[in-house]
Amino acid sequence: MSFMQPIPVKYACSCGILNPINKLFFCRHCPKLRCGYCVCHEIESHFCSNCLENIPSSEARHKKNCCANCFDCPCCQHTLSARATTVAVVRKPDEAKDKEAQSGAGGESGSTTPLKPSSVPATKKMYYLSCLSCRWTTRDVGIPDQGVATGTWPDNECLYQLRFNSLLEYYQSVVLQEKQDRQEFLRRKSPKQHKFPSLTDRTGLTVSLIRRQIGWNEKTLPKSKPISISPTEATADVEQLPPDIFTEPLNLRQVTTIAQRLSQPRDQPTAVGNLYPQRRSLWIKRSLRCRQCEHNLIKPEFHPTSIKYRIQLFASHHVPEVVMVRCEQPLKSGQKNAIVVKITNPTMYDMTIRILDALPEEEEQLTTEMLQQACKIKEEAVTSSPLLRAAGITLTRQNSTREIKREVNELSNTLIEPLESEFVLSQRDDSKEFDEDIQARSEIEEPKFIVWRKGNKVLLRLQFTPEATSKISDEVVLSFYMQYTYVNTVANTTEKKEPTTQALYSRLFIQAGAIEKE
């Protein structure tokens, strides 16, 4: 199968979205399949992809998520490298030696000698930024060379920076005032928990009276008022075009592209000579957490140079992988056909797999009850605080954090025949991958639907019949449930310390192809 071709086999996630197995995760605590929309994304660390410097979150926020030492080329967006050069510097006259000579000679004759510069030329090492891809340098825009390779490069000042700063201060004051008003409203609205909340109220002495008698100031936060800001006024004055724009020929090499202008949103220069180097944006390492049980599914290493994971619960490591091999006959509406699929066991335990055309009713009812109970436990855990109950405040989680059961929109247009029996798939053994001989059949005869078996892989033959109402060039989609046994090694309670085996279900959709002409 080519990497660029679409994957025909897709799994139905718990939220009802179809994804290939390489884009799904598996929660060992639920246990269910999770996609990128039913997990919480959390930022673990910030780092620069060029110098691999780990930056704390507060510092990254202060630096506007940009690295202080690395720059990107404004023309081709590649990383700029510091280049060293030598510059001749004229030394200043050696005043100390001349003064000694003057004092020695002046005691006798009193004559003065003029100061002379040193005859030996001096060289100083200077640095400038250069792009190894398009040969752009900081000298092209008139940025002077610096004496240090990192940390001293000037930033291009924005013309509207003062306006942006004033707007930022204004909205920060507005948010602070709204927060104080909300806290004051909740303090007045919430009833007192006891008749005498503090010892000073029993004696008739309040905290403010005691502070006044001692001579201290009142411990009250001054209410912040929004900063007055002048509104923006629209003007009809527009700068005139230069007179040579209609007479001089246009040189496209001197005009910036759309990508170059958008990379510098401050001024968006139109000429190439006004491009300035941009600080490199920081990268992040993120972790994924299950929305229902709040356990980590993906957790990377903290150090930027490490590409390993501390926790990696990919679905391809726990769920059997199904790959479509071929269709035995051309697809025609209303005619019986068969498809060959390959199933691989990625775990270290044997699996008992069974192919079903529908989910059992008992399992469907159990899944619905567990889902409702999980949502109820979540709400009770949030509202169980005595302070919140006394204040009459009920906090519930957002709807996005709950697991909502949805039906899969893509429907099957075929009738699949379930397999007459279940079969056992061996555990994964890396040493058997290099065995060229196909394993001999066991003493017990294999079922008829098994075409080939080797190690932890097996080829199955599934029979199906497309609908008679299907038209030519319509896509044939197969849908079935795969029941498999999963050995859970995670102990959710103190009583269960040994691995438990449970039966799980996964719904699969296979795009077999299009209906061909007769």
Side-chain angles (χ1 to χ4, degrees):
M1 183 182 298
S2 176
F3 176 73
M4 301 300 295
Q5 293 180 355
I7 300 177
V9 181
K10 294 183 179 180
Y11 292 69
C13 178
S14 58
C15 63
I17 300 177
L18 302 182
N19 285 291
I21 193 172
N22 56 1
K23 293 185 179 180
L24 292 174
F25 310 96
F26 181 80
C27 182
R28 296 187 298 177
H29 302 269
C30 294
K32 291 180 181 178
L33 291 175
R34 304 294 181 190
C35 66
Y37 293 99
C38 51
V39 295
C40 297
H41 299 254
E42 299 177 357
I43 298 176
E44 288 290 328
S45 61
H46 297 78
F47 68 96
C48 177
S49 59
N50 184 43
C51 61
L52 297 179
E53 180 183 359
N54 199 354
I55 301 175
S57 301
S58 58
E59 186 177 354
R61 193 182 303 109
H62 176 69
K63 294 181 178 179
K64 301 179 181 179
N65 292 330
C66 294
C67 183
N69 302 326
C70 303
F71 292 85
D72 288 339
C73 177
C75 291
C76 62
Q77 311 303 324
H78 282 76
T79 306
L80 296 176
S81 58
R83 310 287 291 181
T85 182
T86 56
V87 179
V89 179
V90 180
R91 286 187 178 180
K92 295 183 179 180
D94 197 347
E95 300 179 357
K97 294 182 179 180
D98 293 340
K99 286 183 180 180
E100 293 178 359
Q102 291 176 9
S103 61
E108 299 176 358
S109 60
S111 61
T112 59
T113 57
L115 300 178
K116 298 179 180 180
S118 177
S119 60
V120 180
T123 58
K124 185 178 180 181
K125 184 176 288 187
M126 303 294 287
Y127 298 91
Y128 65 95
L129 297 178
S130 175
C131 179
L132 301 179
S133 178
C134 64
R135 301 299 179 183
W136 182 90
T137 61
T138 52
R139 296 177 177 178
D140 297 344
V141 292
I143 298 178
D145 298 348
Q146 304 294 326
V148 185
T150 58
T152 59
W153 298 102
D155 292 334
N156 185 21
E157 296 182 358
C158 181
L159 299 176
Y160 311 100
Q161 190 64 36
L162 297 177
R163 179 65 177 176
F164 291 156
N165 294 338
S166 61
L167 290 174
L168 180 61
E169 293 178 359
Y170 171 74
Y171 286 112
Q172 284 179 351
S173 63
V174 170
V175 171
L176 182 59
Q177 184 185 14
E178 291 180 354
K179 183 178 180 181
Q180 291 181 358
D181 294 343
R182 193 184 305 110
Q183 291 178 354
E184 184 69 18
F185 175 76
L186 293 177
R187 187 184 64 82
R188 294 178 179 178
K189 185 179 180 181
S190 59
K192 294 183 179 180
Q193 301 179 9
H194 305 284
K195 185 177 181 180
F196 303 105
S198 62
L199 183 62
T200 57
D201 290 347
R202 292 185 182 181
T203 58
L205 298 176
T206 59
V207 178
S208 59
L209 182 60
I210 294 175
R211 295 179 65 88
R212 196 179 302 114
Q213 290 179 356
I214 296 175
W216 292 356
N217 297 328
E218 292 290 338
K219 191 179 180 181
T220 56
L221 295 176
K223 291 187 177 180
S224 62
K225 297 182 179 180
I227 303 174
S228 60
I229 185 173
S230 59
T232 304
E233 298 180 358
T235 178
D237 297 337
V238 182
E239 296 182 1
Q240 298 294 332
L241 294 175
D244 57 348
I245 191 173
F246 301 104
T247 57
E248 297 293 334
L250 180 62
N251 188 4
L252 295 179
R253 294 183 179 181
Q254 302 297 330
V255 180
T256 56
T257 61
I258 298 298
Q260 294 173 355
R261 297 182 189 181
L262 296 180
S263 64
Q264 300 186 9
R266 291 183 175 180
D267 46 3
Q268 297 186 5
T270 57
V272 177
N274 297 330
L275 293 175
Y276 283 84
Q278 299 295 314
R279 296 190 181 274
R280 191 173 184 85
S281 301
L282 296 179
W283 288 19
I284 63 170
K285 281 192 172 185
R286 61 177 180 175
S287 61
L288 305 181
R289 190 183 297 273
C290 178
R291 288 185 182 270
Q292 181 178 356
C293 61
E294 297 184 355
H295 285 86
N296 282 324
L297 303 180
I298 300 295
K299 193 173 184 64
E301 292 286 347
F302 185 76
H303 201 272
T305 58
S306 178
I307 60 174
K308 297 181 180 179
Y309 292 91
R310 286 184 283 180
I311 300 175
Q312 49 177 354
L313 299 179
F314 297 104
S316 57
H317 296 169
H318 302 272
V319 182
E321 182 182 3
V322 179
V323 179
M324 174 184 169
V325 180
R326 66 180 183 275
C327 280
E328 293 186 349
Q329 300 176 3
L331 295 173
K332 297 180 181 180
S333 58
Q335 294 186 8
K336 191 174 182 179
N337 204 336
I339 187 174
V340 179
V341 296
K342 182 177 73 172
I343 303 179
T344 306
N345 180 12
T347 63
M348 303 301 296
Y349 302 93
D350 294 344
M351 279 188 176
T352 302
I353 300 178
R354 189 174 183 180
I355 305 299
L356 305 174
D357 57 347
L359 190 66
E361 297 182 359
E362 299 178 356
E363 182 66 23
E364 189 173 359
Q365 294 178 0
L366 181 62
T367 304
T368 306
E369 293 177 359
M370 291 177 61
L371 180 60
Q372 296 176 356
Q373 185 178 3
C375 295
K376 185 178 180 180
I377 291 174
K378 280 292 180 184
E379 293 184 2
E380 291 179 355
V382 175
T383 59
S384 60
S385 176
L387 298 177
L388 296 178
R389 289 183 178 180
I393 301 174
T394 57
L395 299 179
T396 57
R397 293 189 179 273
Q398 299 177 359
N399 294 332
S400 59
T401 60
R402 297 182 185 176
E403 183 182 2
I404 303 175
K405 185 179 179 181
R406 302 186 183 93
E407 297 295 336
V408 181
N409 296 328
E410 186 172 351
L411 301 178
S412 174
N413 55 0
T414 59
L415 180 62
I416 190 171
E417 297 182 6
L419 302 182
E420 59 270 11
S421 63
E422 58 187 18
F423 61 95
V424 178
L425 193 56
S426 303
Q427 62 182 1
R428 179 175 63 87
D429 189 359
D430 296 336
S431 62
K432 292 183 180 180
E433 295 291 335
F434 304 97
D435 189 5
E436 298 181 357
D437 299 332
I438 300 177
Q439 294 179 353
R441 290 193 175 184
S442 58
E443 297 178 358
I444 303 176
E445 188 68 21
E446 294 281 5
K448 296 181 179 179
F449 54 81
I450 294 182
V451 180
W452 171 84
R453 180 194 290 269
K454 180 181 179 181
N456 62 331
K457 302 180 181 64
V458 65
L459 287 183
L460 300 181
R461 184 174 179 270
L462 301 178
Q463 296 182 359
F464 66 95
T465 303
E467 294 180 353
T469 57
S470 300
K471 301 179 181 179
I472 299 175
S473 71
D474 287 351
E475 191 72 22
V476 177
V477 180
L478 285 77
S479 174
F480 60 90
Y481 286 88
M482 180 177 60
Q483 177 187 355
Y484 59 95
T485 56
Y486 175 72
V487 180
N488 194 351
T489 58
V490 178
N492 296 329
T493 60
T494 56
E495 300 176 357
K496 298 180 180 180
K497 295 184 179 180
E498 297 182 357
T500 58
T501 303
Q502 49 188 334
L504 303 180
Y505 295 86
S506 295
R507 190 178 184 184
L508 286 84
F509 290 86
I510 301 179
Q511 297 180 356
I515 299 292
E516 299 181 3
K517 296 181 180 180
E518 297 181 0

